[in-house]
Amino acid sequence: GAVVSQHPSRVICKSGTSVKIECRSLDFQATTMFWYRQFPKQSLMLMATSNEGSKATYEQGVEKDKFLINHASLTLSTLTVTSAHPEDSSFYICSAWGLAGETQYFGPGTRLLVL
Amino acid sequence: AQSVTQLGSHVSVSEGALVLLRCNYSSSVPPYLFWYVQYPNQGLQLLLKYTSAATLVKGINGFEAEFKKSETSFHLTKPSAHMSDAAEYFCAVTGGSSGDKLTFGTGTRLAVRP
């Protein structure tokens, strides 16, 4: 199946700094990617839909100025957590639909810890 | 709009026993349904999917699920549990169109006793 990668897998940062997470589709082009957030022992919460060449679509309650999304190419979307605070600590997962459009493939996730 | 409900946040079975994880869906359009598995500190791996073809869907690792429209269900089963099946399982639904966002259930943690 299609492969989606994320980098970094883990990141620890100080409160107030910004952190960038990359999501790449390795063997296919993805015009649309999704960013999810998962708190411990909870389900995935969709944060935003990342569209190549246009602005991301954010879910209700997600601050677009805090979670900046850039989908600059057909294989790369980035999520930047700006001015991170401890409450932003979470597991962030990206995904993309495969070529046939019937299966959504997920990255391995990025664990963010804000001190 | 679509939604899924997973009954039972925790399920525990003995090794070799039947695994049954329940998922009921709600959708205003013909749905696509998915089961994903998540191991600790990892992303989601697709187990199987229903996309309006055969109602009995076979997936990886011996899992299968049956789409029952009359019951709005898509329960996941495996005849004989292995220790390696212990993980978190998520049912998800989308509206059947390419590019639609997935809506996830709250997940079921499966424990397998020796």
Side-chain angles (χ1 to χ4, degrees):
Chain A
V3 178
V4 176
S5 71
Q6 282 183 243
H7 178 80
S9 57
R10 301 174 66 91
V11 57
I12 301 173
C13 69
K14 293 182 179 180
S15 185
T17 61
S18 294
V19 174
K20 180 185 285 188
I21 302 170
E22 293 185 347
C23 176
R24 294 182 184 272
S25 55
L26 296 185
D27 50 0
F28 66 103
Q29 294 181 333
T31 56
T32 302
M33 291 184 174
F34 301 90
W35 286 97
Y36 295 85
R37 183 174 181 175
Q38 186 180 31
F39 290 104
K41 299 183 180 181
Q42 294 189 27
S43 188
L44 279 73
M45 181 192 78
L46 180 65
M47 299 175 66
T49 302
S50 172
N51 304 298
E52 189 270 335
S54 65
K55 292 183 178 180
T57 303
Y58 289 83
E59 295 298 302
Q60 191 173 11
V62 178
E63 299 176 63
K64 61 181 181 180
D65 293 331
K66 179 163 186 65
F67 298 100
L68 300 178
I69 291 173
N70 187 314
H71 196 149
S73 76
L74 289 171
T75 59
L76 173 64
S77 175
T78 61
L79 169 68
T80 301
V81 183
T82 62
S83 186
H85 288 94
E87 57 265 30
D88 298 324
S89 299
S90 190
F91 194 51
Y92 292 88
I93 305 175
C94 71
S95 70
W97 286 101
L99 285 173
E102 291 188 339
T103 300
Q104 198 171 118
Y105 294 95
F106 286 79
T110 297
R111 174 117 7 238
L112 170 63
L113 176 60
V114 184
L115 302 177
Chain B
Q2 294 82 36
S3 67
V4 289
T5 301
Q6 290 184 242
L7 295 176
S9 58
H10 290 81
V11 170
S12 180
V13 300
S14 297
E15 191 174 18
L18 171 72
V19 175
L20 171 61
L21 305 182
R22 300 179 185 274
C23 173
N24 287 89
Y25 72 91
S26 173
S27 178
S28 55
V29 298
Y32 284 5
L33 291 156
F34 306 81
W35 275 100
Y36 286 90
V37 61
Q38 184 180 34
Y39 297 99
N41 296 310
Q42 294 186 28
L44 274 67
Q45 180 182 6
L46 179 68
L47 278 177
L48 50 79
K49 62 183 179 183
Y50 167 77
T51 56
S52 75
T55 56
L56 181 62
V57 181
K58 294 185 183 298
I60 62 171
N61 301 338
F63 285 94
E64 63 180 40
E66 186 172 7
F67 173 73
K68 292 186 177 180
K69 185 177 179 180
S70 61
E71 300 178 8
T72 61
S73 69
F74 190 58
H75 302 329
L76 181 70
T77 61
K78 181 174 180 178
S80 177
H82 292 179
M83 297 297 292
S84 60
D85 293 327
E88 187 86 19
Y89 291 80
F90 292 97
C91 181
V93 65
T94 186
S97 298
S98 175
D100 273 2
K101 57 186 180 183
L102 283 172
T103 300
F104 284 88
T106 51
T108 298
R109 182 167 298 276
L110 175 66
V112 181
R113 304 184 302 271

